[in-house]
Amino acid sequence: RLGLPLALQWSLIAVSSTMLQTFVNSFGPDAMEDLNIFSFDGKGYSLSQVDEAMEALPVFAERKLLLFNDTMLFKPERTGAKADYKDYWAKRLLDIPDYVTVIFDETEIDKRSALLKQIDKEGACVEFAYMTEEEMVRWTVKLFGTLGKQIAPGDARYLNEITGAGMMAVKREAEKICAYAGERALVTKQDIDTLVVPEIEGKVFDM
C-alpha cells in the first residue's frame, strides 16, 4: 500500500513493528534508510523537522517514508496531542509531496477524530485486533512450515505460552529451534524445552 500518501494503523506493539518492518522492507535493499526513512516518536517531536524531512527530495530512491509512533493525534485534546500539532496536520495532510508516504502507528485512537476521517478519505486506516489463541496456534504451525519444519498444534500452543509477548519473539524462537533441529523435519516439545527460556509474563495473541 505504499502508493498511498497516508496510512494509519492502530494495534498492539508487536504487530505494529511487524507491519512497519514490512513497509520498510518494501523500499528494497538500496533504499538508503538513513536518508529516506524517518521516524518520529511520541507527541513532542519537532514539526520543523517533519517539514524538513518531507520537503527534501528522496536520495537515490523514488520515495521517502515518514513513520510516526503514538503521536496521540487521534485522541481528544485533554489527553492527546496539543492543538498546534493537530492544526499543523490538518493543513499538512492536504499538502504531502507525491514522493512521500506517511504512516501513523497508534495504540489508542478516538474514531470520531476529524484527522482520522481526513486520513481515511485521503489514504487508508487499518485496525489490527488480537489473534485468538487458536488463530495464534495456526499461525505458529504455518510459520514452522515456511521454515521447512513440522510442529504439532499442541507443541505450537506450548511454544506460544512460554514465549515472551510478541509474534516477532515467537518467530525468533522458531528460527532458533529449526536451526537446532537440522535435517530433522519434526520439531518436538523437547526441542522447545532445550532452547527456549520461558517468559512468565506476556501473551502473543496480538494480531
Side-chain angles (χ1 to χ4, degrees):
R1 302 300 298 271
L2 284 174
L4 293 169
L6 298 165
L8 167 67
Q9 65 172 32
W10 60 99
S11 59
L12 296 173
I13 188 61
V15 166
S16 299
S17 61
T18 302
M19 292 301 300
L20 290 181
Q21 191 58 52
T22 299
F23 279 118
V24 171
N25 291 344
S26 70
F27 272 62
D30 301 321
M32 300 187 69
E33 290 188 20
D34 291 343
L35 298 174
N36 295 314
I37 299 175
F38 300 86
S39 297
F40 301 89
D41 293 321
K43 56 183 182 179
Y45 53 90
S46 167
L47 295 178
S48 62
Q49 289 181 1
V50 174
D51 282 333
E52 182 179 342
M54 201 172 290
E55 296 300 334
L57 293 171
V59 179
F60 299 113
E62 294 183 1
R63 300 190 64 80
K64 300 176 71 172
L65 179 61
L66 275 64
L67 307 173
F68 294 86
N69 179 57
D70 278 336
T71 64
M72 312 294 276
L73 279 170
F74 310 97
K75 293 191 65 180
E77 194 170 315
R78 64 181 182 277
T79 56
K82 294 181 179 179
D84 55 339
Y85 280 80
K86 293 188 176 185
D87 291 343
Y88 168 86
W89 280 107
K91 298 175 183 177
R92 181 82 256 194
L93 291 177
L94 300 174
D95 186 29
I96 295 179
D98 58 7
Y99 52 81
V100 172
T101 293
V102 178
I103 297 175
F104 294 98
D105 178 30
E106 307 288 332
T107 53
E108 297 181 72
I109 67 164
D110 181 346
K111 293 185 179 181
R112 299 167 297 179
S113 165
L115 285 175
L116 174 69
K117 294 175 181 177
Q118 189 173 349
I119 288 181
D120 197 31
K121 178 181 178 181
E122 302 291 338
C125 296
V126 182
E127 180 177 9
F128 295 92
Y130 277 103
M131 265 190 179
T132 66
E133 185 174 349
E134 292 304 318
E135 287 172 338
M136 189 63 198
V137 170
R138 291 194 293 271
W139 180 85
T140 303
V141 170
K142 183 177 179 180
L143 170 63
F144 275 90
T146 63
L147 295 172
K149 302 295 181 185
Q150 300 174 17
I151 186 171
D155 292 338
R157 186 188 309 276
Y158 174 68
L159 174 62
N160 293 342
E161 290 173 349
I162 68 170
T163 302
M167 296 169 68
M168 292 301 292
V170 175
K171 184 174 184 293
R172 286 192 297 269
E173 296 296 352
E175 290 170 345
K176 184 167 61 176
I177 292 167
C178 289
Y180 172 80
E183 298 297 321
R184 182 160 41 88
L186 182 65
V187 168
T188 66
K189 182 176 180 295
Q190 183 177 353
D191 296 326
I192 297 171
D193 288 334
T194 299
L195 295 174
V196 180
V197 178
E199 294 283 347
I200 296 176
E201 297 182 356
K203 290 293 182 181
V204 296
F205 317 125
D206 53 8
M207 181 171 181

